[in-house]
Amino acid sequence: MSRTDQTSKPQNTQGSGGSDQLISVLDVIRIVRQRWLVGGFCAVVIAVAVGSLLLMQPPQYRAQSSLVIELDTENIIDVKEVVNTGVRNQNLLVSFMNTHIERLKSRSMAETVMAALEPEMHDLFLEGYVGPLEDFDSTKELPDPAGLLVKRALEVNWGTESQAIQIIITHSVPEVAQAVANQYINQYIKYKAKLRSKSTSEAVSFLGQEVEELRVKLADRELALQAYRKEKNLVTAKRGESIISQKLTQWSEAVTNARVRLSGVESRLKQIQLAGNDLAPLMNIPFVGGRDDVKVIYAQLQELRREFKVLDETYLSRHPKMVENAASQVAVKEALSQAIEQARQEVSVEHATIAGELEDLEARLNETKEEALQMELDLIDYRMLERKVERLRLTYETLSERYSETTIAERMNLNTVRVLDLAVKPSSPVWPDNKKIALVSFCLAGMFFVAVPLGLEFLDFRVKTFSDIEAYVGKQLLGHIFDFPNKNEKRLVKAVLENDEDLQEPFRAIYSGLRLKLKFGRDAVSLVLTSSMPSEGKSFVASNIAATFAMHK
């Protein structure tokens, strides 16, 4: 419990013990208000000191030159460069320009620039960092000019929407800044020209060797092609191919005709075999019964049969006429059988003849096919060799043309780096900058105006607030009671009993806190109230707490 002025307010605390303190903006304002004199004094001192120190620095001058990186070279004639600088993609453009920037920032380029400066400018550049060279300690080694240039003087900028690169040199001597900026432009253009010339010369040498090797190889391949054509007798290859094609066509047609005829003969043989020795079916076969001799003999047989029927009606079987007729029929039948057998033999002979002819035709067709296949294989090999020679010839012609273009390009100035603006002598220093120094001093003053009071508050370990008490004892306060100096002390002792609205609620809060922390039961509970000094209100608090307990029975 604590008693304080009515105007004071406890700070926010977090956690049961109040150890994790939070500081709000209002707390910061309160702390700054309490110690604003100290904070203001420190802020003014720091701002004046820093501003004076910055204003006392030697003046720095800035010279700017710029160059433009062209994506394509000018085509005086239709000649392509060895190095293709065409860039069509934004990502490739960024990479392309960053490569130029890194080359400009490289130590080797800085050394080249410093070596190209006049001795007087070189010495002035060093004096800007180490002072007069006459006063420099001879026992010490002079700093590296190229390192100073890269780390402290050089700045390379590129606008992503352009192809221009700005080179900015900062130095205490304006003439030196101008000279170094212009030397950067000149030396980088020379470097790119030398690099391009070297690449072109190497390409010319390489292409020359390749062209000569291809020329020798092409001559050897052409001679080998001619020899192969003579060896395979392919001088009249197209004519021979046409003759073989005609032969294939003729033999194929002959084989087809033979097979058709053989099929017909086989069909006739099958008809004869099916007819057997039965005369009626045999006579119905056209190529048997249709023969002239067979028809004549068969007509005689038919006549004898009709005559036999007539005689049979008149005479007996042993009658001479009947016997003569029967003998004549036998003779005619035998002649008919011989004629039919001759027809069969003719068909068989025709079958054998056609079969032999077909076999011979197929053999000749196969020979012609093998001949055509061999010629086709020879022609395929020949055409493959011919295509290789043609490709080699095309490569040779392309490289020869490229060799001629590269030789011309070697003699031309096809540099893609151009001067955009040369640096001019700066007329006014860029540093010290009064506006920037004032801004820095103001920001430092503001920081110290707030930081010093906060630091002093952080180092102040005195107990002054409710949160300090809670942090010190590690316990939460049960409540706080405001001081009312205008009220009568006797009435304050009975404030709870007399329902004083200003004091009744704080004591109720204290009672609630005690009730939550203590177990009120049958056992007696003792409460001790104490303070660090007399007359701090122990009796006032004890009587009102007792009254609050009594009101809650």
Side-chain angles (χ1 to χ4, degrees), residues 241-262:
E241 190 176 11
S242 176
I243 293 173
I244 290 177
S245 177
Q246 292 178 2
K247 286 183 179 180
L248 283 174
T249 303
Q250 291 174 358
W251 291 127
S252 297
E253 291 177 356
V255 167
T256 302
N257 292 332
R259 287 175 178 171
V260 170
R261 288 188 288 118
L262 182 62

Side-chain angles (χ1 to χ4, degrees), residues 28 309 365 413 549:
V28 173
K309 287 181 180 181
L365 178 62
N413 180 20
F549 269 80

Side-chain angles (χ1 to χ4, degrees), residues 7-293:
T7 57
S8 65
K9 293 183 180 181
Q11 292 181 343
N12 294 330
T13 60
Q14 184 179 7
S16 61
S19 59
D20 298 332
Q21 297 183 3
L22 297 177
I23 184 168
S24 64
V25 177
L26 294 177
D27 294 332
V28 173
I29 295 174
R30 180 183 59 79
I31 293 170
V32 172
R33 286 180 60 185
Q34 289 178 354
R35 294 184 172 90
W36 68 272
L37 287 176
V38 178
F41 176 76
C42 293
V44 171
V45 171
I46 293 298
V48 172
V50 172
S52 301
L53 182 62
L54 294 176
L55 289 172
M56 291 172 62
Q57 289 183 346
Q60 297 291 322
Y61 295 87
R62 176 174 291 181
Q64 176 178 321
S65 60
S66 57
L67 51 85
V68 62
I69 309 297
E70 297 178 357
L71 301 183
D72 296 303
T73 57
E74 298 177 356
N75 273 342
I76 302 174
I77 58 176
D78 190 15
V79 174
K80 295 181 180 178
E81 288 187 89
V82 175
V83 181
N84 184 9
T85 59
V87 179
R88 298 292 179 265
N89 184 279
Q90 182 64 26
N91 293 332
L92 291 179
L93 175 63
V94 173
S95 176
F96 180 74
M97 297 300 291
N98 284 335
T99 301
H100 283 281
I101 292 173
E102 292 303 320
R103 285 176 176 171
L104 286 166
K105 290 181 177 180
S106 65
R107 180 181 178 82
S108 59
M109 180 55 61
E111 291 175 350
T112 303
V113 171
M114 295 307 299
L117 283 177
E118 297 180 359
E120 181 182 357
M121 289 295 176
H122 187 279
D123 294 341
L124 286 175
F125 178 82
L126 280 177
E127 289 178 353
Y129 300 101
V130 301
L133 296 180
E134 295 82 2
D135 301 337
F136 189 77
D137 189 357
S138 59
T139 60
K140 297 181 180 180
E141 185 179 357
L142 285 171
D144 180 24
L148 291 174
L149 176 58
V150 173
K151 294 179 180 179
R152 303 182 62 179
L154 176 64
E155 182 181 349
V156 182
N157 295 327
W158 167 56
T160 56
E161 300 297 329
S162 69
Q163 296 164 217
I165 296 177
Q166 293 82 33
I167 298 172
I168 302 171
I169 302 296
T170 304
H171 198 268
S172 58
V173 181
E175 293 82 359
V176 173
Q178 178 188 11
V180 174
N182 288 333
Q183 277 296 337
Y184 248 101
I185 294 290
N186 297 330
Q187 294 304 317
Y188 190 68
I189 291 176
K190 290 180 181 179
Y191 164 76
K192 286 295 294 179
K194 182 179 178 181
L195 184 64
R196 189 176 298 276
S197 176
K198 181 180 178 182
S199 300
T200 307
S201 299
E202 292 175 353
V204 168
S205 176
F206 170 76
L207 288 173
Q209 295 176 0
E210 289 293 316
V211 167
E212 182 60 24
E213 291 178 4
L214 284 175
R215 186 188 66 77
V216 175
K217 189 182 292 185
L218 179 61
D220 294 341
R221 291 283 180 86
E222 288 180 341
L223 291 175
L225 184 65
Q226 294 295 334
Y228 183 83
R229 185 163 56 183
K230 290 180 181 180
E231 178 186 356
K232 299 297 182 178
N233 193 21
L234 298 177
V235 179
T236 56
K238 292 184 179 179
R239 182 179 177 186
E241 190 176 11
S242 176
I243 293 173
I244 290 177
S245 177
Q246 292 178 2
K247 286 183 179 180
L248 283 174
T249 303
Q250 291 174 358
W251 291 127
S252 297
E253 291 177 356
V255 167
T256 302
N257 292 332
R259 287 175 178 171
V260 170
R261 288 188 288 118
L262 182 62
S263 177
V265 173
E266 289 176 348
S267 176
R268 283 182 279 174
L269 283 175
K270 188 174 182 181
Q271 291 179 9
I272 292 172
Q273 291 174 358
L274 291 175
N277 294 322
D278 194 353
L279 183 62
L282 287 172
M283 293 305 298
N284 290 329
I285 299 174
F287 54 85
V288 176
R291 291 169 59 93
D292 293 338
D293 55 344

Side-chain angles (χ1 to χ4, degrees), residues 269 272-273 276-279 282-283 287-289 291 293-294 297 332-350:
L269 283 175
I272 292 172
Q273 291 174 358
N277 294 322
D278 194 353
L279 183 62
L282 287 172
M283 293 305 298
F287 54 85
V288 176
R291 291 169 59 93
D293 55 344
V294 173
I297 295 172
V332 171
K333 285 182 179 180
E334 185 178 354
L336 182 61
S337 298
Q338 291 178 355
I340 292 173
E341 184 62 26
Q342 184 178 1
R344 288 177 178 174
Q345 292 296 329
E346 288 180 358
V347 173
S348 298
V349 170
E350 184 180 2

